[in-house]
Amino acid sequence: SVSGAADLIAGLPADFRWGVATSAYQIEGAIAEDGRTPSIWDTYCDTPGAIDNGDVGDVACDHYHRMPEDVALIKSLGMDTYRFSVAWPRVQPHGKGPVNPAGLAFYDKLVDELLAQGIDPWVTLYHWDLPQELEDAGGWPNRDTAYRFADYSMMVFDALKDRVNTWTTLNEPWCSAMLGYAYGAHAPGRREFPRAIEAVHHLLLGHGLATTRMREASPRKLDIGITLNVATAYPASDAAPDVDAARRADGMGRRIYLDPLVHGHYPADVVADLAAEGAELPIQKGDLELIAAPIDVLGVNYYFSQKFSGFDEDGKTTTDDGLPVSRTIPLNKPRTAMDWEIVPEGFTDLLVSIAKDYPGLPMVITENGSAFEDTPDENGFVADEGRTAYFTSHLAAVAEAINQGADIRGYLAWSLLDNFEWAYGYVKRFGIVRVDYDTQVRTPKQSALYLKEIAERHRSNR
Ligand code: GBH
C-alpha cells in the first residue's frame, strides 16, 4: 500500500530523481555477438562450482535482443532515470586497440531509445566485466589496466557525451578488488590479499584518469562520479577491541575509497592496518592528485549494515596469524533471501556520516533493493510484500537522512529486472519486474507498481 507515501515524499527535493538500475553482464546475454569477446565473468561462469546451479550469463534476460521492449517497460513504470552499464568487451574487445563499432552501436541505440521515451540515461562505464585478455595480462593488480580503462572510457564518452549527462566510472571497486582478488568470491576468483590491495589503488587510479580526461573533453557541464558499496559498521560494544573492529571495517569498506577521492590521501590508520597484513597501496607520484579529481556526484549502493566484534568466540582478540580478530555479530533483524539483515537505520546513519565526513558531495542512491522468494500467481504476478516493505523502510531512511542534512538527489531501485545475480546465478531475484527465464516474459511485481505510484505522487506534488 502507498499509505504513508505522502509523509515519505514530503521532505524530498522537488527535482529528486526516480529510477531503476541494471548492469550489462547481468541482463544482456548475447555474449558472442557483434564482436564481443569473453569477459572475466564468462570465464568464471565456466569454472566448475563457481556459480550456484552452474548458471551462466549466455542468455540472461536476453536484453541485447529485447532492448526497446525493456525501455518501454521503464517508461511504463513512470521512472525518469535509467542507470545501465556498458560492456567493455563489446566496445573494445581486446581491452586495448581499436573500438568495435558494432558493439558501441548497441549503447548508441539504447541512449536514443531512452531519450525518445523521455528517460534520462545514466551510464556506468564498468560494472565488473573486464575483458579476459586484460586479466590474462594481470588484471586490476596490474597498473596498466588503469590506463586501459581510461582509454576505453573515452571511446564510450566520445560516442555518447552529446546525449548522456550523467556518468559513473566504476561500480563498487570494493567488489572488484576484494571479492575478485582477495576472497575468490567473484571473477576472476583469485585469493591474493596483497594483489587485491594493488587492485584497489589501480581501480581508483583508473577512475581518476578517466574522470580527468572526460572532464577535459566535456562539451558542457556534465555530472561525473563513482559508485561505492558502503554501509555502517557498528561496534558490538564500547569495549576497545569491538570499537577497533568497527573502525577497521569502516576503513576497508568506506574510507579507503572516499578519503583519497575527496581528501586526496589514504587514511593513515588503514595504511598501517594493511602494512601489518603485508600489503601496500602501490602509489606513484601524481596518482593521488588524479584520484582526487573533483566529482559531481557520489553514487551510493546500499543493501545492509553489520555489527563487528574484535573478540572471537573464546574471547581472544588476536588470530593465530597475530592479526586482530574481526567478526560480524547478528543485529537480530529479519533477513532477505540473501540472508542479509534488513537494517534501514544503517542507511540513514551511513548517509549522514558521509555528509559529515565528506561535506559538499551530492549523493544519489544508485542501487538499493532486496531479494525475496517470489511466488508468481497464474498470470506471473508477484505480490512481493517483503520487497515492497523493504523499499518503504529504505525510502523512509533516505528521507530521514535528508531531514538530518544529507544532500541526496535521487533514488534508483536495484533492479529493473530479475537477473544474473553473480555467484548466486538466477536463483536470487532482485527485480521489481519478474522475468520468466523460459519465455523471457516480463511481469511487473507489486513493488514496481508501488514505486511507480510514489514517483508519480512526488512528481505531481512539485
Ligand atoms: C550490488 O553489489 C551489485 O552492484 C549488483 O550488481 C548486485 O546485483 C546487487 O548488489 C545485489 O547483490 O558479505 O563480505 O560480501 C552489492 C555487493 C553485497 C557487497 C554485500 C558487500 C557485504 C560484504 N555487496 N556485501 S560480504
Side-chain angles (χ1 to χ4, degrees):
S1 111
V2 282
S3 61
D7 291 347
L8 208 155
I9 58 184
L12 300 177
D15 55 356
F16 196 76
R17 278 177 190 271
W18 294 97
V20 286
T22 63
S23 88
Y25 194 71
Q26 294 181 273
I27 64 168
E28 286 178 359
I31 59 166
E33 277 178 53
D34 297 329
R36 182 189 182 279
T37 57
S39 76
I40 53 175
W41 274 94
D42 297 283
T43 309
Y44 194 60
C45 286
D46 289 340
T47 308
I51 314 290
D52 284 1
N53 210 29
D55 286 343
V56 297
D58 296 31
V59 177
C61 305
D62 197 31
H63 171 72
Y64 196 75
H65 300 124
R66 295 164 193 268
M67 179 271 284
E69 174 198 340
D70 288 339
V71 172
L73 181 62
I74 299 166
K75 178 72 180 174
S76 77
L77 298 179
M79 296 293 141
D80 52 59
T81 298
Y82 176 50
R83 171 177 177 253
F84 60 93
S85 81
V86 174
W88 188 346
R90 288 194 195 285
V91 169
Q92 191 190 31
H94 303 288
K96 54 179 178 250
V99 67
N100 171 31
L104 197 50
F106 174 74
Y107 302 102
D108 200 74
K109 277 183 279 172
L110 169 56
V111 166
D112 283 344
E113 193 74 27
L114 289 164
L115 293 174
Q117 298 272 13
I119 301 163
D120 197 20
W122 180 320
V123 170
T124 297
L125 288 161
Y126 185 74
H127 198 128
W128 308 353
D129 42 2
L130 187 72
Q132 180 62 40
E133 285 185 40
L134 290 186
E135 177 55 30
D136 296 341
W140 284 107
N142 179 9
R143 184 177 171 95
D144 188 56
T145 302
Y147 296 91
R148 300 285 70 77
F149 172 70
D151 285 354
Y152 147 73
S153 295
M154 291 312 291
M155 290 177 172
V156 182
F157 190 71
D158 284 338
L160 305 181
K161 67 184 178 187
D162 59 330
R163 286 157 291 155
V164 173
N165 293 317
T166 313
W167 295 81
T168 289
T169 53
L170 305 175
N171 180 71
E172 303 187 345
W174 180 91
C175 292
S176 296
M178 303 311 288
L179 297 179
Y181 293 95
Y183 306 142
H186 277 184
R190 289 164 61 180
R191 292 170 200 265
E192 304 164 42
F193 184 77
R195 297 284 90 76
I197 300 310
E198 294 169 6
V200 167
H201 181 68
H202 296 147
L203 283 152
L204 286 170
L205 178 62
H207 157 82
L209 289 163
T211 298
T212 303
R213 288 179 59 185
M214 287 159 61
R215 189 80 70 198
E216 282 165 9
S218 289
R220 59 189 186 287
K221 174 78 183 73
L222 302 178
D223 287 334
I224 302 172
I226 188 170
T227 277
L228 303 176
N229 58 299
V230 273
T232 302
Y234 294 105
S237 78
D238 291 342
D242 288 345
V243 172
D244 199 57
R247 173 195 63 76
R248 280 180 276 119
D250 185 54
M252 281 303 291
R254 187 178 74 107
R255 291 182 291 113
I256 195 175
Y257 301 98
L258 278 165
D259 278 21
L261 286 165
V262 179
H263 301 321
H265 53 78
Y266 286 106
D269 62 315
V270 176
V271 171
D273 292 343
L274 290 172
E277 291 193 68
E280 197 184 336
L281 293 150
I283 307 164
Q284 295 189 11
K285 194 168 177 296
D287 288 0
L288 290 168
E289 288 75 8
L290 283 164
I291 292 169
I295 54 174
D296 308 294
V297 58
L298 173 68
V300 171
N301 291 358
Y302 181 83
Y303 291 89
F304 66 106
S305 290
Q306 287 174 314
K307 193 160 80 174
F308 291 87
S309 173
F311 298 95
D312 69 11
E313 269 102 350
D314 303 324
K316 288 203 307 253
T317 58
T318 311
T319 66
D320 294 344
D321 300 337
L323 295 170
V325 167
S326 186
R327 188 162 64 105
T328 57
I329 306 285
L331 288 154
N332 295 320
K333 306 270 190 182
R335 290 170 186 264
T336 70
M338 299 293 281
D339 212 30
W340 296 347
E341 292 191 279
I342 301 173
V343 195
E345 64 276 21
F347 200 6
T348 303
D349 291 344
L350 168 75
L351 295 166
V352 171
S353 76
I354 294 174
K356 174 171 111 355
D357 297 344
Y358 309 98
L361 188 57
M363 292 179 266
V364 169
I365 310 311
T366 40
E367 290 180 26
N368 177 237
S370 57
F372 282 91
E373 309 282 345
D374 288 335
T375 312
D377 69 13
E378 64 278 11
N379 300 315
F381 180 76
V382 181
D384 55 342
E385 297 291 346
R387 191 177 289 102
T388 305
Y390 182 99
F391 283 129
T392 307
S393 59
H394 287 73
L395 281 168
V398 171
E400 176 56 22
I402 293 172
N403 184 39
Q404 293 185 34
D407 179 2
I408 303 162
R409 309 262 174 107
Y411 179 93
L412 314 184
W414 185 268
S415 181
L416 171 66
L417 302 170
D418 291 336
N419 60 46
F420 177 74
E421 179 50 31
W422 307 113
Y424 296 90
Y426 298 100
V427 178
K428 298 287 186 271
R429 293 174 177 268
F430 276 87
I432 62 171
V433 174
R434 180 168 180 88
V435 175
D436 178 328
Y437 292 111
D438 294 326
T439 61
Q440 291 292 347
V441 167
R442 281 92 158 110
T443 310
K445 303 175 192 178
Q446 179 185 298
S447 56
L449 308 178
Y450 169 79
L451 288 175
K452 175 180 185 179
E453 172 127 12
I454 297 225
E456 281 173 355
R457 282 197 191 197
H458 174 251
R459 229 172 262 133
S460 67
N461 272 6
R462 66 194 179 198

